[in-house]
Amino acid sequence: MRNTRALAAAGAAVAVLGVAAPAAVADGGRVPNPSNIVALPSVIARGGQLTITVDGCPNGGHATSNAFERTNLTPVSGGNDAGGGGIDAGRGGIDAGRGGIDAGRGGNDTARGTATIHQDARPGSYDITVHCSGRSLTRPAAFTVIGGVRGGIGGSSATGATPTDMAIGGSLVAAAVVGSGVFWMRRRAEKRI
């Protein structure tokens, strides 16, 4: 019984190494290509900070766009997340449910940077071009810039009132004065009777 479990564990180990070895050898000699450019948030106001994440960029690089200055991308620390998986010889099997490479949470090939959107960026969609390991990749319409919002009274990005605003405000004040005068004159006339 004990020999059967040990044999099963050894066979599982050979199977795992047999599957993983060709992938490691195939990846060893080639230069990685940047891929999967993600910009968050996808809709951002002028002056906001945009996080750029790219896969296939193990040594870092930089990102460019018309909406922000050249931004450095640095490798994300961490490696392949084997997450406790692998062979469990004590129970005689392979715990494949949690093992493997976790590329979504920042493996060795992921780089990240933070860009600040120009204050004078025009609203609209913008591309991002990533350069790393001598290669480049462009993601069209990677994010959208919207007009900036100023806090405080009004919350408007425009400064001062326009002539139209002044005319509307003036006519409302004049209507209030005339209405008050009519009400007061009518009230006075009722008291005389």
Side-chain angles (χ1 to χ4, degrees):
M1 183 76 144
R2 201 176 244 186
N3 290 338
T4 307
R5 284 188 183 179
L7 188 58
V14 170
V16 168
L17 290 175
V19 170
V25 170
D27 193 34
R30 70 179 176 93
V31 176
N33 286 324
S35 64
N36 194 29
I37 300 170
V38 177
L40 292 174
S42 60
V43 177
I44 188 166
R46 293 180 285 207
Q49 290 195 328
L50 184 73
T51 301
I52 303 161
T53 306
V54 60
D55 293 333
C57 201
N59 300 320
H62 66 274
T64 58
S65 176
N66 291 335
F68 55 80
E69 297 293 323
R70 176 179 160 156
T71 301
N72 289 328
L73 302 173
T74 56
V76 175
S77 62
N80 294 340
D81 182 9
I87 300 172
D88 184 0
R91 288 185 285 161
I94 298 176
D95 181 9
R98 296 185 343 231
I101 297 173
D102 182 5
R105 288 191 285 157
N108 285 338
D109 65 341
T110 302
R112 184 175 294 140
T114 302
T116 301
I117 304 300
H118 293 305
Q119 290 289 347
D120 60 349
R122 291 181 161 216
S125 295
Y126 286 88
D127 301 346
I128 293 178
T129 301
V130 171
H131 308 274
C132 47
S133 301
R135 300 182 183 218
S136 62
L137 175 70
T138 300
R139 178 172 174 206
F143 64 98
T144 302
V145 174
I146 58 174
V149 177
R150 291 186 183 160
I153 299 174
S156 173
S157 62
T159 57
T162 64
T164 304
D165 295 336
M166 296 295 284
I168 292 171
S171 63
L172 290 173
V173 169
V177 169
V178 170
S180 297
V182 169
F183 178 78
W184 182 72
M185 295 292 281
R186 193 169 175 192
R187 187 86 163 150
R188 190 171 177 203
E190 288 177 359
K191 285 187 177 182
R192 287 188 190 178
I193 297 182

